Amino acid sequence: MATHQRRLTRPPSDERKRDLWIQNAAGLIIFEDVRNYAIEQLEAGLSDDARSAALKAIDDAVYGIMMIIDGVSGSLENEEHRVNLSVSVQLTDLDTGEAVAEINLADGDGMCMGFHGWKDGDFGLHPPMET
């Protein structure tokens, strides 16, 4: 189910718990809107071996994105400059349009660390979505 079809839970008031909640929300968005979207695009008639290979490729691609987000890979540089991606997550107040909290995911707990839990549907003690 795409994330726009889900309902966000209330963020925890404790700053550390809220930071983890926001990171889990980022993981949910990637898993729902990238990983699950790709899985839904697989042909229905694939053999078990082909489906297994496709699922592994999807997971490897998602994990590769997470390595870039974490700063493990994904930079290009020369003697003077570096180009790298920066991914931040914002918690925005809908009334004011202002960011209530923001985290650069490279400074977070690690998207790669969350991968296996998110793959199993574990989005933390305070899941970011209603079930």
Side-chain angles (χ1 to χ4, degrees):
M1 171 186 308
T3 54
H4 73 273
Q5 297 171 310
R6 293 188 176 268
R7 184 169 173 82
L8 186 67
T9 58
R10 292 201 177 275
S13 56
D14 176 81
E15 185 176 355
R16 175 65 180 142
K17 290 178 182 175
R18 186 181 61 220
D19 285 351
L20 290 172
W21 179 86
I22 290 171
Q23 291 173 74
N24 279 310
L28 175 68
I29 291 168
I30 291 171
F31 268 70
E32 291 292 332
D33 296 343
V34 176
R35 182 179 185 266
N36 287 348
Y37 172 81
I39 290 170
E40 290 170 359
Q41 303 313 302
L42 296 177
E43 296 291 327
L46 289 176
S47 69
D48 290 344
D49 287 345
R51 183 171 181 77
S52 179
L55 291 172
K56 182 180 180 326
I58 290 168
D59 284 344
D60 288 346
V62 169
Y63 197 82
I65 290 169
M66 292 186 170
M67 288 192 310
I68 292 170
I69 291 170
D70 282 347
V72 174
S73 62
S75 66
L76 182 63
E77 62 184 70
N78 63 23
E79 297 77 25
E80 298 177 50
H81 299 97
R82 174 184 297 145
V83 173
N84 58 287
L85 297 179
S86 175
V87 178
S88 64
V89 184
Q90 289 184 340
L91 174 63
T92 306
D93 183 304
L94 291 179
D95 290 333
T96 65
E98 306 242 342
V100 175
E102 183 172 2
I103 296 175
N104 179 331
L105 290 175
D107 298 330
D109 287 40
M111 298 296 283
C112 293
M113 288 182 59
F115 178 86
H116 298 288
W118 295 329
K119 189 175 170 184
D120 292 337
D122 179 0
F123 292 93
L125 294 175
H126 304 281
M129 76 297 193
E130 292 181 357
T131 54

